[in-house]
Amino acid sequence: MTTCRSRGARRSFAALAVVSALLVAGCGRSGDGGGEEQPTGGTAAPTPLSADFGDLKQVCRPGTAAGSPAQGVTDKEIKVGVMSDIGFNKNPEFGDAAKVFTSWCNENGGINGRKLNATVRDTKMMEVRQRVIEACAEDFALVGGGAGLDALGTRERLGCLLPDFPAQTSQLENQGSDLQISVQAHSPVHWPYEGFYTWLTKEAYPGSAGAVGIIAGDAPVTKVMTERASETLRAVGANVTYTDLYPAAGVSDWTPYAQSIKNKGVKGLIFLGDYRNLAKLEQVLTNLQYKLDWIDANSNAYGPAFLELAGKNTLESQNNVADLGGFTPLEMASSSPAVQQVVNLYAKYAPGATVTFPALKAFSAWLVFAKSAVACGDNLTRKCVYETAAKETNWNAGGLQAPIDLSQHLPLKCYNVVQAGPDGWKPADFKPDNGAYRCDATATAHTGNHGKPLTLADVGKSMNDVR
């Protein structure tokens, strides 16, 4: 007999799966959640070892660093933590990125002679607070990771004065919190896809502006995401005519949803959910012979797995696009030395691993951490590494991403759009004006109260306490 408790447990587990996918889809727009991340890179022959990365010179280097100026730092090594939901989603990408970067860096001398020693802190989705407490007791900093429910540990992290260099952030309480250097441009009062939405509804498909729909998995966080997306769409002159939630436990038949989209005359659709569900919905829409002007598949779908699930017929019928938020697509590796170098380093240090979109973000985080740590010399303290990184006002990770200002929390200025078709993902014709990016995104502040990042003051601390 099925008990109420067992039914509730299944519902809770399903809701966690949705949250894991959707937190990333709505904020990081991809990554360590909602199942296995899709591989989007290939392999290449290893290149000769070099301490340079892209246009960054001698990121890691030998030296004779001495002493133990901070927790996790000795004259031999630097202990750092890597947050990951791997125990829940079985996704090793942040651990893989840590292995590749630290292997490369250590082979080039480490951080002034100190070797990087990375420990993956497996949150198992719900144990974020426990893993942060462990990191507080052992690590110098958190680097190159992310967790779907990252806000669960933000208060503890600030309480122990632990710097964070995440690959991606998810929840508003953690995004832009103190002692955090994020390689993704963000602002707590702006939805980061205003430029993307403007291009979609005013330039590329102006006929869709009057009939935009949003469908999302049924979890509390998606309500906030839908509100923020709707507010931004209104700000750019678009009209949301359809919103719906699908059950966290999954949908056996997407026909009612597809029929509603068709009956409402939706022309542009924003999907906040896992790409597996999106593929099923699009197949039903195609079978109903209903073609939308565009579908924002979000970067959770950016990769070959979505293409395989959707199938050639659906990809020929539906127009899937996604915003990568100013990171160079892996498909452009041949014209991007920095992206190609990541591919080459994976081939050398983790030949069985795949290069993913979140891996590029993780590399950016590792790079800014390493560059800042090297600059601190023997006196490698948390205060020094954080304040040094915060002086980077034109950070592009050696060419992996459009330049952003790490010294303050500014809304996204540059974006880049990829488009899916039967032949794979490729850059869309979105009229880039700065290399691979378009950097004219507007930013309209939200009027709704959707939450705010935590500060040191919230835990009774200040920068004067950071050593």
Side-chain angles (χ1 to χ4, degrees):
M1 182 176 68
T2 302
T3 65
C4 292
R5 181 174 181 176
S6 64
R7 287 197 301 268
R10 284 199 300 269
R11 286 195 298 268
S12 297
F13 186 87
L16 285 179
V18 170
V19 168
S20 182
L22 296 181
L23 284 173
V24 174
C27 302
R29 300 284 287 195
S30 172
D32 203 12
E36 183 181 356
E37 176 62 27
Q38 301 180 65
T40 49
T43 58
T47 55
L49 192 66
S50 169
D52 298 342
F53 185 91
D55 58 24
L56 296 173
K57 302 302 181 184
Q58 209 173 356
V59 175
C60 300
R61 64 190 68 183
T64 57
S68 181
Q71 175 184 287
V73 179
T74 69
D75 56 355
K76 300 294 184 183
E77 71 171 5
I78 303 167
K79 295 189 66 174
V80 296
V82 181
M83 299 299 290
S84 171
D85 292 333
I86 187 172
F88 178 78
N89 60 28
K90 313 306 178 188
N91 184 344
E93 63 192 342
F94 291 142
D96 289 343
K99 175 185 177 181
V100 172
F101 184 89
T102 58
S103 297
W104 169 70
C105 184
N106 290 341
E107 195 166 339
N108 279 284
I111 306 297
N112 299 320
R114 293 181 170 115
K115 303 298 184 182
L116 289 171
N117 181 356
T119 299
V120 174
R121 303 290 181 184
D122 180 8
T123 72
K124 302 174 185 176
M125 189 66 185
M126 288 299 295
E127 298 178 8
V128 178
R129 180 174 179 271
Q130 294 93 317
R131 299 296 87 78
V132 170
I133 290 173
E134 292 171 3
C136 282
E138 300 177 7
D139 296 334
F140 173 63
L142 296 174
V143 186
L149 297 175
D150 53 11
L152 293 178
T154 306
R155 189 171 293 273
E156 285 68 29
R157 181 181 64 79
L158 292 176
C160 76
L161 305 173
L162 183 66
D164 184 22
F165 294 75
Q168 60 193 29
T169 55
S170 296
Q171 295 179 286
L172 279 172
E173 293 85 352
N174 186 54
Q175 283 184 331
S177 56
D178 281 352
L179 289 181
Q180 184 183 88
I181 298 294
S182 175
V183 295
Q184 293 181 273
H186 60 83
S187 162
V189 295
H190 298 90
W191 186 241
Y193 307 105
E194 185 166 331
F196 179 41
Y197 291 172
T198 300
W199 173 74
L200 281 171
T201 61
K202 288 188 174 181
E203 295 183 28
Y205 312 98
S208 70
V212 178
I214 303 175
I215 188 168
D218 190 3
V221 66
T222 63
K223 296 178 181 178
V224 175
M225 292 181 181
T226 301
E227 290 170 1
R228 297 183 72 196
S230 298
E231 191 171 342
T232 299
L233 285 164
R234 290 192 297 270
V236 302
N239 185 31
V240 178
T241 59
Y242 166 83
T243 59
D244 206 348
L245 298 173
Y246 66 86
V251 177
S252 58
D253 182 7
W254 280 93
T255 302
Y257 296 89
Q259 194 66 58
S260 293
I261 291 169
K262 182 177 181 178
N263 292 343
K264 290 282 188 178
V266 175
K267 296 184 177 181
L269 181 68
I270 295 170
F271 189 85
L272 299 175
D274 184 76
Y275 64 86
R276 297 168 183 83
N277 287 305
L278 176 59
K280 294 175 183 177
L281 172 61
E282 290 192 24
Q283 287 169 348
V284 177
L285 286 166
T286 301
N287 289 338
L288 292 176
Q289 297 183 331
Y290 189 71
K291 175 179 171 58
L292 292 98
D293 289 353
W294 56 268
I295 297 175
D296 174 13
N298 77 65
S299 58
N300 211 22
Y302 172 53
F306 168 72
L307 304 177
E308 182 176 350
L309 287 171
K312 181 178 180 181
N313 186 45
T314 296
L315 293 170
E316 287 177 341
S317 177
Q318 305 299 338
N319 178 26
N320 287 279
V321 290
D323 177 13
L324 301 188
F327 275 80
T328 303
L330 283 153
E331 290 76 17
M332 294 181 65
S334 62
S335 60
S336 170
V339 174
Q340 186 63 58
Q341 188 168 354
V342 173
V343 173
N344 293 342
L345 290 175
Y346 266 69
K348 178 177 176 63
Y349 296 108
T354 52
V355 187
T356 65
F357 175 51
L360 298 183
K361 295 185 284 186
F363 246 75
S364 179
W366 278 104
L367 286 164
V368 72
F369 170 78
K371 182 175 184 288
S372 303
V374 163
C376 289
D378 281 0
N379 187 35
L380 180 56
T381 63
R382 289 174 168 178
K383 186 180 184 71
C384 180
V385 74
Y386 171 75
E387 291 186 340
T388 301
K391 294 176 183 176
E392 296 281 354
T393 59
N394 197 44
W395 178 254
N396 73 344
L400 288 179
Q401 64 185 100
I404 64 170
D405 185 351
L406 302 183
S407 70
Q408 51 188 323
H409 303 307
L410 298 174
L412 187 73
K413 189 69 176 176
C414 298
Y415 63 98
N416 55 313
V417 185
V418 288
Q419 186 173 35
D423 297 327
W425 288 95
K426 63 181 181 181
D429 183 16
F430 63 101
K431 297 180 174 57
D433 57 14
N434 184 5
Y437 321 107
R438 181 165 172 172
C439 298
D440 63 351
T442 56
T444 306
H446 288 166
T447 58
N449 181 14
H450 304 300
K452 62 180 181 179
L454 289 173
T455 67
L456 285 167
D458 290 328
V459 297
K461 304 282 187 176
S462 74
M463 279 302 297
N464 292 331
D465 298 307
V466 183
R467 299 288 184 264

